C-alpha cells in the first residue's frame, strides 16, 4: 500500500493495490502531474478505449524480439521460431473463443478490420441485419439495399423480436445478423444466444462483436451458436496492433482476397501484362504482406493469461462496478445511460451525464486536477449515445464514460466519485478553455515526458 498526497488540499488518498489473482498490468505504478501542483497515481478508468499492456505480455514480447524474423517460407532458425509462434497463436485464439475445429482464424489489425474483411467476403445479395446502436466498427462496414438497421428496443425480449421480424422481411438468400456482445457505451450484455436461435430459424448466420466482451468474460462460439467472432488485441491488454476474425471458413475461402499481395498467393504465372494468380485457400488468403508477428504473439499471450484467471477477473470487476454505480447514483444530477429498462448482466463500463456540466469539460477537470483518465464524447457509437442521452433526460450528444479493467482499483473508483462530488458542489480549481475543440487547462504548467519531445 502506498500513499499519494494532493498538495493543494493536503488530503491523503490511500492507493489500494489490485487484489491477488488477477494479471498485473504495465503502468500500475504510474504517477501523473496535476495542474494544481504535485503528482498522483494515475487512475486509468478508460479500459474500453485501449487497455494497458499486461506485464506478462510485455515480458513475453521482450523475450521474443531477439528471435523476431519473417514467417512462412523462411529457412533460418529464427524464421522457424517466428512461424511456430505465429501459427500456434491460431490454436490459442480458437481455444479462447471455444471455436469449432473447422473454424478458421484470420489475423487482422482490430475488430474494425475484421468486420470490413467479413463484409468483403459476404456472398452476393446477402441480407444483413444490425442494430443501429452498434459501435461504428460493426455498424458501418455493411452497405447497400439489403442492409437493415434496426433501433435497439428497451427490453431484451423486444430486441430478439425485432431481429425475428427483420429477418422475416429479408428476401430469400444468404442472411447475416451482426450483434455486439457488450455495449461499449453502457456495458450491458445483449441476448446473443437468444438472437442466434432466432437467426437459425431463419437460416441466417450471426457475427459477434466481442471487442468489449472478450476482455471481461469467457466467450464460446459453440455455446452461443454464433458463426463469427471479431476481437481486438488493444482491448485485450495486448496493445501491439493485432486482432482476429474467428469463424466459419467457407465464405472467407470463396471470397476474393482482402488484400492482394505476397503471402495471399499460392502461384503467380504468365507475363507482366497477363498474370494468372492462384490464391491460397486458408487464412493466409486474407493476410497478404508481412504479418504483425509481434502483435499476434502478444494477443495469444494475453488470451492465455485471461483464460487462466477468469474467476478472479470477474470477481475483481464485480466489486468495482457495484461500488462505481452506487457512488454515481448518489451524485446530484448524475444520470446513467442504459439500453434496457430492466437491469441486465453487464461488464464494467458505465456512461453518464451530469446536469449542467459539459462532458468534455468534466473529463478535462478530472484529468488535470485529480489524475483520473476517463472518456468523453460519443464513443464511436453516435446513434446509440445520442438516443440514450435523450432517454436519460440529457440534452446533449456526448457523455462521460468510465470503463474498468485489470488496471483499476477501489481507490480509483472512490477518487472518481469524490472528485465528481467536489466538482458538482464547487466547480473546478483551475480555468479551462477549448483548444482545437477540446477542453484544456489554461496555461497548463504540466510537462510531457522527455520521450514526447
Amino acid at each position: 500500500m502506498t500513499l499519494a498526497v494532493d498538495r493543494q488540499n493536503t488530503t491523503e488518498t490511500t492507493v489500494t493495490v489490485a487484489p491477488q489473482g488477477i494479471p498485473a498490468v504495465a503502468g500500475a505504478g504510474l504517477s501523473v502531474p496535476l495542474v494544481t501542483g504535485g503528482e498522483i497515481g494515475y487512475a486509468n478508468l478508460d479500459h474500453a478505449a485501449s487497455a494497458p499492456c499486461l506485464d506478462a505480455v510485455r515480458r513475453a514480447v521482450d523475450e521474443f524480439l531477439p528471435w523476431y524474423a519473417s514467417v512462412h517460407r523462411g529457412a533460418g532458425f529464427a524464421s522457424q521460431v517466428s512461424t511456430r509462434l505465429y501459427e500456434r497463436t491460431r490454436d490459442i485464439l480458437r481455444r479462447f473463443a471455444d471455436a469449432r475445429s473447422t473454424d478458421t482464424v484470420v489475423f487482422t489489425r482490430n475488430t474494425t478490420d475484421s468486420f470490413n474483411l467479413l463484409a468483403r467476403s459476404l456472398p452476393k445479395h446477402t441480407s444483413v441485419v444490425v442494430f443501429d446502436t452498434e459501435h461504428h466498427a460493426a455498424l458501418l462496414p455493411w452497405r447497400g439495399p439489403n442492409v437493415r438497421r434496426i433501433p435497439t428496443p428497451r427490453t431484451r425480449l423486444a430486441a430478439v423480436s425485432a431481429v425475428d421480424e427483420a429477418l422475416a422481411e429479408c428476401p430469400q438468400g444468404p442472411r447475416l445478423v451482426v450483434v455486439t456482445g457488450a455495449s461499449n457505451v453502457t456495458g450491458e450484455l445483449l441476448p446473443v444466444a437468444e438472437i442466434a436461435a432466432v437467426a437459425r430459424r431463419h437460416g441466417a448466420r450471426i457475427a459477434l462483436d466481442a471487442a468489449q466482451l472478450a476482455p471481461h468474460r469467457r466467450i464460446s462460439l459453440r455455446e452461443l451458436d454464433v458463426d463469427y467472432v471479431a476481437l481486438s488485441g488493444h482491448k485485450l491488454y495486448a496493445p501491439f496492433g493485432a486482432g482476429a476474425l474467428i469463424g466459419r471458413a467457407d465464405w472467407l475461402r470463396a471470397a476474393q482476397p482482402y488484400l492482394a499481395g505476397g503471402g495471399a498467393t499460392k502461384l503467380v504465372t504468365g507475363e507482366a501484362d497477363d498474370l494468372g494468380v492462384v490464391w491460397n485457400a486458408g487464412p493466409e488468403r486474407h493476410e497478404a504482406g508481412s504479418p504483425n508477428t509481434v502483435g499476434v504473439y502478444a494477443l495469444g499471450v494475453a488470451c492465455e493469461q485471461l483464460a487462466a484467471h477468469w474467476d478472479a477477473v470477474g470477481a475483481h470487476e464485480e466489486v468495482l462496478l457495484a461500488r462505481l454505480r452506487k457512488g454515481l447514483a448518489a451524485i446530484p444530477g448524475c444520470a446513467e445511460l442504459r439500453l434496457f429498462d430492466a437491469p441486465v448482466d453487464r461488464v464494467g463500463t458505465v456512461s453518464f451525464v451530469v446536469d449542467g456540466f459539459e462532458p468534455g469539460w468534466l473529463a478535462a477537470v478530472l484529468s488535470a486536477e485529480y489524475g483520473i483518465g476517463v472518456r468523453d464524447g460519443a464513443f464511436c457509437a453516435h446513434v446509440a449515445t445520442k438516443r440514450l442521452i435523450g432517454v436519460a433526460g440529457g440534452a446533449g450528444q456526448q457523455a462521460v464514460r468510465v470503463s474498468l479493467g485489470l488496471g483499476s482499483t477501489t481507490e480509483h473508483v472512490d477518487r472518481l466519485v469524490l472528485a465528481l462530488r467536489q466538482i458538482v458542489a464547487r466547480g473546478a480549481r483551475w480555468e479551462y478553455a477549448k483548444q482545437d475543440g477540446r477542453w484544456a487547462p489554461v496555461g497548463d504548467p504540466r510537462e510531457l515526458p522527455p520521450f514526447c519531445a
Side-chain angles (χ1 to χ4, degrees), residues 115 118 176-180 205-209 226-229:
F115 278 131
L118 183 58
L176 178 71
V177 177
V178 182
V179 64
T180 190
R205 296 190 181 189
I206 183 167
L208 173 65
D209 175 358
V226 300
D227 299 277
Y228 305 95
V229 62

Side-chain angles (χ1 to χ4, degrees), residues 13-349:
T13 303
T14 301
V15 180
T16 56
V17 178
Q20 296 290 328
I22 65 171
V25 299
L30 181 67
S31 292
V32 295
L34 300 178
V35 72
T36 50
E39 293 186 345
I40 195 169
Y42 183 52
N44 184 356
L45 298 176
D46 192 21
H47 286 67
S50 288
C53 183
L54 287 180
D55 272 346
V57 169
R58 180 172 60 175
R59 291 193 302 270
V61 168
D62 285 344
E63 183 181 19
F64 168 57
L65 284 176
W67 294 91
Y68 168 71
S70 63
V71 301
H72 304 140
R73 301 173 302 283
F77 192 76
S79 290
Q80 296 176 39
V81 171
S82 294
T83 300
R84 172 66 178 275
L85 292 179
Y86 186 82
E87 290 301 329
R88 190 183 70 179
T89 302
R90 294 195 205 275
D91 294 329
I92 293 172
L93 267 291
R94 192 176 285 107
R95 290 195 299 272
F96 182 77
D98 192 25
R100 298 159 288 260
S101 61
T102 55
D103 285 336
T104 191
V105 176
V106 180
F107 293 124
T108 63
R109 292 178 296 172
N110 44 44
T111 304
T112 302
D113 200 30
S114 294
F115 278 131
N116 276 272
L117 163 59
L118 183 58
R120 286 273 299 273
S121 303
L122 298 184
K124 193 174 182 179
H125 304 308
T126 298
S127 297
V128 178
V129 174
V130 58
F131 289 113
D132 66 1
T133 45
E134 295 284 336
H135 187 283
H136 294 167
L139 178 68
L140 299 181
W142 327 101
R143 299 296 175 123
N146 290 333
V147 178
R148 298 173 183 267
R149 299 183 181 91
I150 54 179
T152 303
R154 298 297 298 175
T155 71
R156 288 168 56 92
L157 180 60
V160 176
S161 297
V163 172
D164 193 5
E165 293 172 6
L167 286 171
E169 296 172 356
C170 289
Q172 291 297 316
R175 303 170 186 179
L176 178 71
V177 177
V178 182
V179 64
T180 190
S183 168
N184 82 304
V185 179
T186 69
E188 292 165 291
L189 270 58
L190 276 290
V192 176
E194 293 87 342
I195 290 174
V198 166
R200 292 288 177 257
R201 290 205 301 272
H202 290 274
R205 296 190 181 189
I206 183 167
L208 173 65
D209 175 358
Q212 298 296 334
L213 182 64
H216 304 277
R217 301 289 177 86
R218 293 183 180 91
I219 54 176
S220 171
L221 273 80
R222 287 187 286 192
E223 290 183 10
L224 293 172
D225 195 20
V226 300
D227 299 277
Y228 305 95
V229 62
L231 49 81
S232 291
H234 73 282
K235 312 289 190 186
L236 280 162
Y237 306 93
F240 291 89
L245 176 66
I246 308 166
R248 300 195 182 276
D250 53 347
W251 285 2
L252 296 169
R253 188 185 301 118
Q256 287 295 307
Y258 187 42
L259 297 173
T265 57
K266 186 175 183 179
L267 178 66
V268 178
T269 61
E271 303 298 330
D273 60 346
D274 186 23
L275 293 178
V277 182
V278 178
W279 302 103
N280 278 317
E284 298 90 350
R285 183 182 187 88
H286 299 293
E287 295 176 354
S290 295
N292 180 4
T293 309
V294 173
V296 165
Y297 177 54
L299 175 58
V301 173
C303 288
E304 287 186 315
Q305 284 289 309
L306 287 171
H309 296 87
W310 277 130
D311 290 342
V313 169
H316 170 66
E317 183 176 310
E318 184 178 356
V319 169
L320 295 183
L321 180 60
R323 196 179 188 101
L324 171 64
R325 296 187 70 200
K326 181 179 179 180
L328 292 177
I331 295 173
C334 182
E336 182 182 321
L337 308 189
R338 294 190 305 179
L339 283 173
F340 302 117
D341 293 329
V344 299
D345 195 8
R346 59 192 301 160
V347 299
T349 296

